[in-house]
């Protein structure tokens, strides 16, 4: 039995017993290696921080690779980094390790295409516009024509080699592109993407593109309908599709259209919804609300660490502590205690309200 399998079995036993201090290691790592990038996306805060992962942390990751089930390499733009090619080749020595590389696709040259199509990995390409104007407005510095050319070349080599590489499209939905939400699935089908993931602009960025701050009903209801259409298209095309968009349910859209709810009615409905959630929690009291603090670590730009990208509270920084020290420190223990007892007023509201699907809270 290899180290990754041993670690997985131990981890599952510890989750079952709701252990707070773990002997198992994280089974999944999402690692930002650098903030260096060849694009300046209008919704991205990463490039505003000048930061590279310390070599000591890279060395620790190399030591932990045999224990991981999966690792996600991201930046910045990882294909821009001089040391990433060797790190990628080193990681391939662990045959059971599932890897995801996140890229904007601009630097997919012959060397990288050849290496990637030899591996059983997932390549995620970030695409936020379906026309040259919108794409280059959002992803300033990237070129739409180069993107299409590189994807076509990659797919040509994939088919020739009968490569196991899976191609995933990552899309941030915002004001400039929300009306095309369902059309991204058509694009994914045309260019042989296997998976599509859509997400909102996270955080409270006060930018015009952020349609989630004011929660404009007309926009959010239209977006919710388009997400439903996208789900059906993905099913028809046999594309795996998931998202973390805070959609409005159909019945809520209909209710809003028919009546103009007053404050008392909204408060009454909130109480009903809260009661339903509390009742649901009671029926599933044995199941954890979220598994991420037992399974995963996210290393963010600047070195802050969280259990997952949806989590709001940092548990440490790799500039000050090692990965394994952070894994069982007081902050991580607090996450686990809170989830075992009551995550309310601690976890992300989108998770608490079940706007975030369980498959994003359990890896």
């Amino acid at each position: 039995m290899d180290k990754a399998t041993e670690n997985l079995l131990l981890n599952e036993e510890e989750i079952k017993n709701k252990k707070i201090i773990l002997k198992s290691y994280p089974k999944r790592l999402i690692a930002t290696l650098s903030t260096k990038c060849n694009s300046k996306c209008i919704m991205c805060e990463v490039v505003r921080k000048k930061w590279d992962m310390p070599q000591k942390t890279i060395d620790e990751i190399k030591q932990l690779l045999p224990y991981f089930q999966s690792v996600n390499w991201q930046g910045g733009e990882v294909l821009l980094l001089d040391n990433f090619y060797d790190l990628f080749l080193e990681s391939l020595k662990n045959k059971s390790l599932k890897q995801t590389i996140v890229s904007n696709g601009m630097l997919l040259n012959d060397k990288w295409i050849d290496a990637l199509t030899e591996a059983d990995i997932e390549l995620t390409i970030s695409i936020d516009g379906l026309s040259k104007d919108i794409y280059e407005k959002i992803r300033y510095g990237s070129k739409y024509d180069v993107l299409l050319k590189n994807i076509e070349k990659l797919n040509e080599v994939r088919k020739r080699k009968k490569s196991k590489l899976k191609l995933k499209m990552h899309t941030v939905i915002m004001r400039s592109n929300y009306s095309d939400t369902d059309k991204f699935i058509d694009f994914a089908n045309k260019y042989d993407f296997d998976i599509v993931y859509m997400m909102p602009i996270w955080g409270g960025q006060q930018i015009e593109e952020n349609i989630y701050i004011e929660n404009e009903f007309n926009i959010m209801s239209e977006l919710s309908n388009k997400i439903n259409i996208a789900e059906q298209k993905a099913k028809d095309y046999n594309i795996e599709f998931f998202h973390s968009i805070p959609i409005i349910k159909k019945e809520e859209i209909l209710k809003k259209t028919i009546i103009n709810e007053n404050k008392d009615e909204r408060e009454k409905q909130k109480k009903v919804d809260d009661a339903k959630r509390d009742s649901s929690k009671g029926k599933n009291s044995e199941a954890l609300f979220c598994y991420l603090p037992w399974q995963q670590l996210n290393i963010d730009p600047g070195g802050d660490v969280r259990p997952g990208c949806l989590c709001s509270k940092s548990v440490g920084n790799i500039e000050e502590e090692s990965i394994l020290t952070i894994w069982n420190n007081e902050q991580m223990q607090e996450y686990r205690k809170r989830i075992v007892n009551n995550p309310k007023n601690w976890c992300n509201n989108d998770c608490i309200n079940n706007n975030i699907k369980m498959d994003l809270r359990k890896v």
Side-chain angles (χ1 to χ4, degrees):
M1 187 182 299
D2 62 20
K3 292 178 180 178
T5 303
E6 288 180 356
N7 186 62
L8 173 64
L9 294 175
L10 176 58
N11 183 256
E12 289 178 346
E13 185 67 22
E14 290 178 325
I15 291 174
K16 179 181 177 182
N17 294 320
K18 299 179 180 177
K19 295 289 186 181
I20 303 302
I21 299 177
L22 307 183
K23 293 181 180 178
S24 61
Y25 297 153
K27 74 172 194 176
R28 176 173 170 82
L29 178 72
I30 299 178
T32 300
L33 298 175
S34 173
T35 61
K36 291 175 182 171
C37 194
N38 51 349
S39 295
K40 292 183 179 180
C41 301
I42 57 178
M43 69 294 187
C44 181
E45 294 184 311
V46 172
V47 295
R48 298 189 181 104
K49 301 178 181 179
K50 293 185 178 180
W51 182 81
D52 297 305
M53 179 178 285
Q55 186 60 46
K56 67 180 180 65
T57 305
I58 294 176
D59 292 340
E60 186 179 11
I61 290 174
K62 288 180 180 178
Q63 294 298 314
L64 289 172
L65 284 173
Y67 297 93
F68 293 147
Q69 294 289 311
S70 63
V71 62
N72 181 307
W73 308 112
Q74 58 187 30
E77 173 54 52
V78 294
L79 301 191
L80 189 65
L81 307 178
D82 293 335
N83 62 350
F84 180 63
Y85 187 78
D86 290 338
L87 177 59
F88 173 64
L89 295 182
E90 177 70 23
S91 66
L92 290 179
K93 295 177 182 178
N94 302 280
K95 301 302 181 183
S96 63
L97 178 66
K98 295 180 180 179
Q99 295 189 69
T100 296
I101 295 175
V102 181
S103 171
N104 57 33
M106 290 295 103
L107 301 177
L108 283 173
N109 56 26
D110 290 343
K111 175 183 174 181
W112 268 113
I113 288 176
D114 183 61
L116 293 170
T117 51
E118 287 293 325
D120 183 5
I121 66 164
E122 179 181 280
L123 174 65
T124 297
I125 299 180
S126 299
I127 303 173
D128 310 301
L130 299 180
S131 69
K132 181 179 177 66
D133 289 345
I134 294 178
Y135 176 84
E136 294 183 3
K137 170 192 170 185
I138 294 173
R139 308 192 71 83
Y140 182 76
S142 293
K143 300 297 180 184
Y144 190 65
D145 294 343
V146 173
L147 171 74
L148 298 185
K149 179 181 177 182
N150 288 350
I151 292 175
E152 289 170 350
K153 192 175 208 179
L154 173 67
N155 281 328
E156 179 187 334
V157 178
R158 281 174 78 197
K159 291 176 183 177
R160 176 163 48 83
K161 288 186 175 182
K162 297 180 180 179
S163 173
K164 294 181 179 180
L165 179 143
K166 282 193 172 183
L167 193 56
K168 176 179 175 181
M169 183 166 73
H170 181 284
T171 301
V172 179
I173 299 297
M174 64 192 81
R175 193 175 300 278
S176 287
N177 64 12
Y178 79 90
S179 61
D180 288 335
T181 295
D182 59 305
K183 296 176 184 176
F184 279 100
I185 306 299
D186 299 320
F187 179 95
N189 180 60
K190 178 179 179 180
Y191 288 99
D192 294 327
F193 282 85
D194 304 291
I195 309 165
V196 174
Y197 171 55
M198 295 181 181
M199 65 171 286
I201 295 177
W202 284 114
Q205 292 186 63
Q206 298 291 330
I207 58 175
E208 177 63 22
E209 291 294 336
N210 196 340
I211 58 177
Y212 306 96
I213 295 178
E214 298 297 331
N215 202 21
E216 301 168 57
F217 185 82
N218 290 340
I219 290 179
M220 294 308 298
S221 58
E222 181 182 351
L223 175 55
S224 299
N225 285 329
K226 287 184 177 294
I227 285 288
N228 292 329
I229 295 171
E231 287 178 334
Q232 185 57 53
K233 282 187 176 183
K235 185 177 180 181
D236 294 341
Y237 290 139
N238 196 29
I239 292 173
E240 183 181 346
F241 173 68
F242 61 110
H243 70 89
S244 52
I245 303 292
I247 64 172
I248 303 174
K249 295 178 181 178
K250 288 181 180 179
E251 55 268 28
E252 293 176 1
I253 296 174
L254 181 61
K255 183 192 300 183
K256 186 77 174 182
T257 304
I258 296 172
I259 62 173
N260 182 18
E261 294 179 314
N262 60 36
K263 184 177 180 181
D264 290 339
E265 288 172 329
R266 288 197 298 269
E267 287 298 320
K268 182 178 178 181
Q269 185 62 45
K270 183 178 184 300
K271 289 179 181 179
V272 171
D273 292 342
D274 287 344
K276 287 180 179 178
R277 280 197 295 272
D278 291 341
S279 173
S280 175
K281 287 178 186 176
K283 292 177 182 178
N284 299 286
S285 58
E286 294 303 313
L288 290 172
F289 163 77
C290 176
Y291 291 71
L292 293 183
W294 283 265
Q295 296 180 321
Q296 177 176 290
L297 286 179
N298 270 55
I299 301 176
D300 293 333
D304 280 343
V305 180
R306 295 175 291 157
C309 63
L310 304 175
C311 303
S312 56
K313 298 180 185 296
S314 170
V315 294
N317 190 293
I318 57 170
E319 299 278 359
E320 301 163 2
E321 299 177 274
S322 69
I323 292 173
L324 291 186
T325 300
I326 292 172
W327 181 234
N328 274 314
N329 68 11
E330 290 184 6
Q331 293 92 328
M332 280 297 292
Q333 291 181 48
E334 185 67 19
Y335 258 106
R336 294 169 190 146
K337 287 177 185 176
R338 296 264 187 161
I339 289 175
V340 167
N341 296 317
N342 185 3
K344 207 167 185 180
N345 300 324
W346 178 261
C347 290
N348 186 312
N349 284 331
D350 284 326
C351 296
I352 293 170
N353 295 329
N354 291 319
N355 291 329
I356 305 300
K357 297 179 181 179
M358 176 52 79
D359 57 6
L360 294 176
R361 293 185 268 131
K362 181 179 180 181
V363 295

